[in-house]
Amino acid sequence: MNMPESHASASPWTLSRIARASAVVLLIIGLALLIAPLASVLLLLFGAGLIAVILRAIADPLGRVLPVPQSLRVVIALLLLIALFGGAAWLFGAQISAQFSDLSGRMPQAIGGVEQWLRGLPFGEQLIGSLRGMKLGGQDVFGRLAGFASLIGSTLSNFLLVLFAGVYLALSPGLYRKGLVQLFPKAQSERVGHAADTAAHALRLWLLGQLVSMTVVGVLVGIGLWLVGVPSPLALGLIAGIAEFIPLIGPNLAAIPGLLVALTAGGNTALWALLVYIVVQQVESNLITPVVEKRAVSIPPALTLFGVLALGMLLGPLGVVLSAPLAVVLFVLVKQLYVRDTLGHDTEVPGEPKD
């Protein structure tokens, strides 16, 4: 007895779908296994993209006043950045270096003051013993701190690698954009290219907003700590400005060295320093951020926080530093390629030009 024609034709079609689905699953698993050990390299590549975006953000406006090739404008932008940082180092380098030396010299005294204060608490001795015996990743707290020296050397070498790669990306952005687009089917090339352009523009706007916030916060913290008599206010203001690059978590971490140093000048000075950090964060949250977000790009704070925590746990310090800009890019790509283009929802995509 012959099998009905419908069943005979359905069997190969079903087997074909199963084979294709299995191939897709295996491909996803293979990519996941490949990406896991290369995550740090991919983060460095993303950091190079950040450098390229910064250089292009400076080089593109130069085209309005300098009728020179794009590559030469990128070189001029790089020289301008070097001149800016070099000039700042020449003007303030000696003072900042002296204040950082003073800061490092005061840290043992500050930590000793905190330890003495803890001993005065009812359970202070037990708490100090717990802190000294605390284990972080198989090492005690002080052993963990001793490993920061090698981390600094590794960070410096990675920064140089990212800098040079970023310059190459900025010199020929069209070449790398074309290579990225060609990784996808031809029918999706225009869609992927538009999404990449939108993400790059959103990242540029976000970086501009962060630069404004970092500058204002650093200046306010430095002036505030100087007014209340905290030692090394310039160095502490610089730390606060740089830490602002890591949203939500960075400002809280930056306040720790400031408060410890303030303790060396007395309990009243420490209270005033705490008030300075609180006031600056309120100004940043309620005045600076709303103004910046009108011109720049922002993402929901909860997504930013979970992005910082997730990448920090998975990839360490480098993941924490790059978590916010990476979250911006992923947020844009998900909203455009999935929420709007795939699901069909009418949603505004950050960084997309408005008609």
Side-chain angles (χ1 to χ4, degrees), residues 73-249:
R73 295 201 304 270
V74 171
V75 173
I76 294 174
L78 179 61
L79 293 176
L80 287 175
L81 286 177
I82 293 175
L84 176 63
F85 287 107
W90 181 71
L91 290 174
F92 306 106
Q95 186 177 0
I96 293 176
S97 176
Q99 291 202 7
F100 269 105
S101 297
D102 180 67
L103 196 63
S104 62
R106 287 177 178 272
M107 276 302 167
Q109 179 185 354
I111 295 174
V114 173
E115 183 175 346
Q116 184 178 1
W117 174 74
L118 288 175
R119 290 184 186 278
L121 298 177
F123 301 98
E125 292 291 344
Q126 293 86 338
L127 181 59
I128 292 173
S130 299
L131 290 174
R132 290 186 178 278
M134 186 182 295
K135 300 290 183 179
L136 292 176
Q139 297 179 345
D140 58 45
V141 175
F142 301 102
R144 191 77 170 185
L145 293 175
F148 283 169
S150 61
L151 177 62
I152 293 175
S154 175
T155 301
L156 180 60
S157 62
N158 287 338
F159 174 75
L160 293 175
L161 174 64
V162 166
L163 178 62
F164 283 107
V167 172
Y168 285 122
L169 287 173
L171 287 173
S172 304
L175 175 65
Y176 299 100
R177 180 187 182 278
K178 181 179 179 181
L180 174 65
V181 169
Q182 289 180 343
L183 295 176
F184 297 87
K186 188 174 182 180
Q188 303 294 330
S189 296
E190 182 177 354
R191 177 186 173 195
V192 172
H194 178 64
D197 294 339
T198 303
H201 187 242
L203 192 57
R204 177 184 297 191
L205 294 176
W206 181 85
L207 285 171
L208 178 61
Q210 284 299 111
L211 178 61
V212 173
S213 297
M214 291 167 65
T215 302
V216 174
V217 168
V219 170
L220 290 179
V221 169
I223 293 176
L225 295 180
W226 173 71
L227 290 175
V228 300
V230 177
S232 307
L234 184 59
L236 293 171
L238 183 61
I239 292 174
I242 295 174
E244 190 69 19
F245 188 81
I246 307 174
L248 305 176
I249 296 178

Side-chain angles (χ1 to χ4, degrees), residues 34-51:
L34 180 63
I35 289 175
L38 296 178
S40 297
V41 177
L42 294 177
L43 273 181
L44 293 177
L45 179 60
F46 181 74
L50 282 180
I51 298 294

Side-chain angles (χ1 to χ4, degrees), residues 33 90 100 139 154 172 193 267 272 285 298 328 330 348:
L33 294 175
W90 181 71
F100 269 105
Q139 297 179 345
S154 175
S172 304
W272 281 110
S285 301
S298 64
V328 171
L330 293 176
E348 182 179 353

